[in-house]
Amino acid sequence: MIVTLTLNPTVDTSTTIDRIAADHKLRCASPRYDAGGGGINVSKAIRRLDGESLALFTSGGAMGLMLQELVEKEGIEHQIIGIEGLTRENFIITETSTNHQFRFGMPGPTLTHAEAEACLAALENLPAKPDYIVASGSLPPGISEDFYAIVARQAKKLNARFILDTSGEPLRAAANEGVFLLKPNLGELSRMAGVETLEMSDVDDAAMEIINRGDCEVVVVSLGPGGAMLVTRDSYEHVHTPTVRKQSTVGAGDSMVGGMVYALSQGQSFSEMVRLGVACGTAATMNPGTELFKKPDVDRLLNWINNH
């Protein structure tokens, strides 16, 4: 059983325009609406791989109702944690003349202490014991920065593997508590290692240091178009990806996490896990707006990765 947790979900509204210009009324194409937020995107990725997960997420107001409808259309089993505030909406605009993408992210509603406790209670009272708990995305205002560390402790009590994809102090606090898998990018890994920048030749050593101090068992460093670096206590592997025509980066990291946790749930090795994750993340960049990936693209990319 895979459970995803999204504390700061969003309705992603995406559209296109020929050119963005200041002080002009800009007429956009018809918008597309997608359920978004880290954990929800992970659940969407798992579903597109024909897997199942339970998505836990907060929801409030009219936008929250719209979010619920969008999740239902994806065919994802879900559980709502009701809040008083209004679920946020993010805007993604692609300028077709340049293929530049502009992403406007809103901070989200402030959660009360009682609502934060309700999120933890939802994890404690799951209908079945989870094998994996995946937390992805930012923390909304009002939530303490050690929240994911508390979730890490809960995961240990449930004997579930906790996979975390976040940044900043919430990432460091959870790592200090100890998690199963971390997916930092190069900048986040540098900060965790206490240095300003890392050269590619230093990535595996920095990740190994994090593992050796007990922060996690597995590190997958996202390298964007450079693929990813898998590091475990015993080995490391750099998985490359082919060059593709990028249309959008929205949800690429979440797609990667979704591919990896799906692979693990199917009993695949760490090497197979990261290869599927890279294929899913890369495939997500090939589609416009907030569509995530299409499985035929994943299959084709995975075949390339496995043969190079």
Side-chain angles (χ1 to χ4, degrees):
M1 180 182 179
I2 302 169
V3 174
T4 65
L5 176 64
T6 313
L7 297 172
N8 202 15
T10 176
V11 171
D12 284 329
T13 302
S14 59
T15 186
T16 61
I17 192 169
D18 178 59
R19 185 174 297 279
I20 292 178
D23 303 321
H24 289 271
K25 182 180 286 187
L26 304 176
R27 301 193 182 280
C28 302
S30 296
R32 174 188 172 97
Y33 302 100
D34 289 287
I40 289 175
N41 282 337
V42 171
S43 283
K44 286 165 64 176
I46 293 168
R47 188 74 194 94
R48 291 181 187 189
L49 294 169
D50 298 324
E52 302 288 342
S53 68
L54 171 65
L56 302 181
F57 58 91
T58 58
S59 175
M63 196 58 69
L65 292 175
M66 184 176 183
L67 175 67
Q68 294 176 42
E69 291 176 2
L70 290 168
V71 171
E72 287 170 4
K73 285 181 180 177
E74 292 280 348
I76 296 168
E77 184 181 355
H78 58 281
Q79 183 176 323
I80 307 303
I81 304 158
I83 59 172
E84 298 245 342
L86 304 179
T87 295
R88 65 184 176 138
E89 180 181 12
N90 287 344
F91 298 94
I92 300 95
I93 301 175
T94 301
E95 190 180 57
T96 55
S97 59
T98 62
N99 203 35
H100 290 162
Q101 189 177 73
F102 300 85
R103 299 167 63 176
F104 302 90
M106 306 301 162
T110 298
L111 267 61
T112 66
H113 176 73
E115 289 166 347
E117 289 297 311
C119 294
L120 294 173
L123 281 173
E124 288 180 357
N125 300 303
L126 290 168
K129 178 181 168 296
D131 298 297
Y132 296 92
I133 297 174
V134 185
S136 180
S138 61
L139 292 176
I143 295 288
S144 64
E145 291 188 324
D146 68 344
F147 188 89
Y148 284 142
I150 298 171
V151 174
R153 287 197 290 273
Q154 279 195 325
K156 289 177 183 176
K157 290 179 183 177
L158 294 168
N159 199 28
R161 288 174 160 182
F162 183 40
I163 296 173
L164 180 62
D165 184 13
T166 191
S167 60
E169 185 56 35
L171 171 62
R172 287 188 289 272
N176 288 338
E177 181 64 36
V179 304
F180 171 65
L181 186 151
L182 291 175
K183 190 198 76 69
N185 60 29
L186 206 51
E188 290 158 358
L189 180 65
S190 300
R191 287 186 284 275
M192 292 183 74
V195 298
E196 283 193 19
T197 58
L198 283 171
E199 299 297 328
M200 274 301 299
S201 57
D202 300 323
V203 168
D204 55 322
D205 289 335
M208 190 68 75
E209 181 183 337
I210 291 169
I211 293 171
N212 288 336
R213 70 189 185 208
D215 289 0
C216 63
E217 296 180 40
V218 183
V219 177
V220 177
V221 186
S222 175
L223 302 172
M229 179 78 78
L230 165 69
V231 183
T232 68
R233 193 176 299 279
D234 301 319
S235 63
Y236 67 90
E237 178 183 4
H238 185 181
V239 176
H240 296 272
T241 187
T243 301
V244 299
R245 184 176 181 275
K246 183 184 75 174
Q247 294 202 56
S248 173
T249 58
V250 176
D254 298 324
S255 294
M256 181 178 180
V257 173
M260 290 194 298
V261 69
Y262 172 78
L264 289 171
S265 74
Q266 300 301 303
Q268 295 184 22
S269 68
F270 288 143
S271 180
E272 293 169 317
M273 168 200 78
V274 75
R275 289 164 183 266
L276 180 59
V278 168
C280 290
T282 304
T285 70
M286 298 167 63
N287 294 307
T290 53
E291 288 187 33
L292 297 190
F293 62 79
K294 296 173 182 173
K295 193 169 183 296
D297 292 333
V298 171
D299 294 339
R300 187 170 65 256
L301 289 168
L302 184 59
N303 182 63
W304 186 96
I305 291 167
N306 286 334
N307 288 285
H308 285 79

